[in-house]
Each structure stands twice: as structure tokens, then as C-alpha cells.
Amino acid sequence: MRVFVTGASGWIGSAVVDDLLAAGHDVTGLARSDASAAVLQAKGAHVRRGDLDDLDGIRAGAADADAVIHLANKHDFANPAVSNAAERAAVRTIGDALTETGRPLLVASGLAALVKGRPATEADASPFHGPGALRGGSENLALEFAGRGVHPVILRFSPTVHGTGDHGFIAILAAIAHEKGVSGYPGDGGNRWPAVHRSDAARLVTLGLEKAPAGSRLHAVAEEGVPTREIAEAIGRAFDLPVASIAAEDVQDHYGWIGHFFAMDLWATSTRTRELLGWTPTGPALIEDIDTGAYGTRS
């Protein structure tokens, strides 16, 4: 299958490209820089130069492909409206290009704020609609294209897609611990974060492309919810730092923008995804990854 991947050189996207190629697919990746293009070419993938704002290029890439996997995101946490607008525009552009083709459109999404008081499941619809919503309401926008002859599949990634080389949330929390001299957790540390190893997340995407029915919501969740206190304790062990609770009223000051996310309780399951795809995560667990130096150790 000819697959166009946005975000192909990113943390998740680069692993997805590897898995797609290993499965025999013909991959074209969107690349912003010469360096990213060179890496993709070295793997045996084709390159389309451009970025998330290059809607004409994205449209052309989608039109030339048998399927599109949209993983790119600006991740502008200081100005989320910019990220939301770009995400919505990209999904609409790809959906329009695939209209009446029956081709798959896989769209990256997340697990934040889906439900309260219980684990989120694949049956839970996203509450986010419209341009001003989280991610520009792109999950629901993508699913609307099922009525226009597109085969949409939603990829809900754990907030922590971990592994050696990760520069995401866990790496940021480790950097904050270094800066503050303490590895903190919000409140009593009982709130939970789902986690999945990068290799398992990549495998799920390939299986989703090959097997998931139109309208599926897939959960890239290997661990349903790792308590934030355990995450903080593992970071403390790795860097020989004290571990302490951060009072609710101090979370924002202590963590900055990431505090809002780290204080969420994001418990989620992946039972339906595993049954549907035959997906069985095999990578190391999050705490194991931290304990074995995936995010560094005390020098």
C-alpha cells in the first residue's frame, strides 16, 4: 500500500515509518528539513518536502496515496490556538482529498479529558467539536468523513509514548526535577497516566491501517494508568533526587505549562483495540524504561 505519513520524522512517526516499511508498505513521509528528508531516504522511504502549513503539499500527498496517516502536530503549548487551527486545517484538507475514494485516513489524537471518574474506552466519543476545541476538534472532524466515502480511523495515543530518545512529557518532567532539585508529583500522586512503548505504538498504527474498520477509535495503551507518584519516584531514583508532593495550588508554578497535564487523571483501557487488531504490547513498561536509563541517570 502507498502510505503518506505526516509527522514522519517525529518521535512516533519515525517508528511508524520503520514499522510500515518492515510490513512491506511503500511510504512517503512529509519532511520539513534537509536532515529529516535524508533520514527518511536512508530508510528507503520517499520524501515530500513541506510542513503542516503547506496545505497544497499535504493535499497532493494525500491524493497520490492509497492511505494517509496523519501524525504531525505543532505542539505549540504556549499558543494552543495555533496548533488547533493547523490540525483542523490539515485534517480537513486530507479528508477532502480522499473523499469518495474509500481510502484510509488515520488521525492521531489523545486521551485527555474524555471522561471523568472511570477509565476511558474506545466506545467513548470525543467531547471536542469545532475549531476552538482541543486539537481543533480534529477527531470528530475526521470521523465525519466516513459519510463522504473516506475510511477514518482514530489513533488515541497515551500521554506517555516512552523509550530511549524520547523528548516528550517524561523527559520534560525529568528536566524540571533537575532544575528544581526535587522530583515532584501532584497532590497525593494517585492520578494516573496511561503509557505505551514507542515500538508498540508504531505496531498498533500499522495494524490499524491494515485491519481497523472505518470509524474505529484505537487506544495505544499498554499500561492503563501509571500513578504519577510512581513516575516521580522513578525519576528520583534515576537522578538521585528527593521525591515530594506538590500541593495542588503550587502545581502550575512548579511545572509550568505541563502542570495542567501532569495533574490530570487519564486512566484508559485498550481492551477493544487488542481484540480488534490482535495487538499485544511487548515493549518495556514505563517505570522499567526510566529505571534502566531511557531518560538518563545521575552523572
Side-chain angles (χ1 to χ4, degrees):
M1 194 181 299
R2 293 175 298 123
V3 186
F4 177 48
V5 182
T6 72
S9 60
W11 171 243
I12 298 174
S14 57
V16 168
V17 168
D18 291 342
D19 203 87
L20 289 169
L21 290 170
H25 296 289
D26 187 331
V27 179
T28 297
L30 187 68
R32 290 180 297 174
S33 67
D34 291 342
S36 294
V39 170
L40 287 169
Q41 288 173 331
K43 292 180 177 184
H46 308 291
V47 174
R48 177 174 288 278
R49 293 300 299 270
D51 59 24
L52 205 55
D53 293 321
D54 178 14
L55 297 181
D56 288 339
I58 289 173
R59 182 180 296 107
D64 289 343
D66 298 319
V68 179
I69 300 175
H70 174 52
L71 303 174
N73 192 290
K74 288 193 172 185
H75 297 299
D76 188 345
F77 295 108
N79 190 358
V82 171
S83 291
N84 294 343
E87 174 69 2
R88 188 173 183 86
V91 170
R92 184 177 295 283
T93 296
I94 298 167
D96 286 343
L98 298 183
T99 293
E100 301 303 333
T101 66
R103 297 173 185 171
L105 165 57
L106 280 65
V107 173
S109 189
L111 294 165
L114 291 176
V115 296
K116 293 182 179 180
R118 63 169 177 82
T121 75
E122 296 90 337
D124 292 313
S126 169
F128 303 112
H129 298 266
L134 184 66
R135 292 178 177 264
S138 60
E139 178 173 320
N140 284 309
L141 176 62
L143 291 173
E144 289 174 9
F145 278 96
R148 294 177 55 187
V150 181
H151 186 109
V153 175
I154 303 303
L155 307 166
R156 289 176 175 169
F157 291 102
S158 295
T160 294
V161 180
H162 57 91
T164 302
D166 175 23
H167 291 90
F169 282 163
I170 300 300
I172 294 170
L173 291 171
I176 292 171
H178 270 292
E179 176 189 350
K180 303 289 186 179
V182 61
S183 182
Y185 54 86
D188 65 4
N191 62 302
R192 295 152 290 192
W193 268 23
V196 64
H197 191 267
R198 179 180 180 232
S199 60
D200 291 321
R203 186 61 189 148
L204 178 141
V205 175
T206 299
L207 290 171
L209 171 67
E210 296 172 343
K211 295 184 177 184
S216 297
R217 304 181 189 96
L218 305 179
H219 281 194
V221 173
E223 296 178 89
E224 294 184 356
V226 183
T228 55
R229 180 167 185 163
E230 293 183 14
I231 296 173
E233 289 171 344
I235 292 172
R237 287 193 299 272
F239 297 101
D240 196 20
L241 292 170
V243 179
S245 168
I246 307 299
E249 61 270 22
D250 297 326
V251 164
Q252 203 65 38
D253 286 340
H254 184 86
Y255 295 105
W257 64 266
I258 200 175
H260 172 70
F261 297 99
F262 198 41
M264 288 183 174
D265 190 21
L266 300 180
W267 186 21
T269 68
S270 58
T271 303
R272 173 58 177 156
T273 298
R274 296 178 192 230
E275 293 174 348
L276 184 67
L277 304 181
W279 177 64
T280 303
T282 59
L286 173 59
I287 300 305
E288 179 185 354
D289 245 1
I290 299 172
D291 282 342
T292 55
Y295 294 87
T297 59
R298 179 172 58 92
S299 59

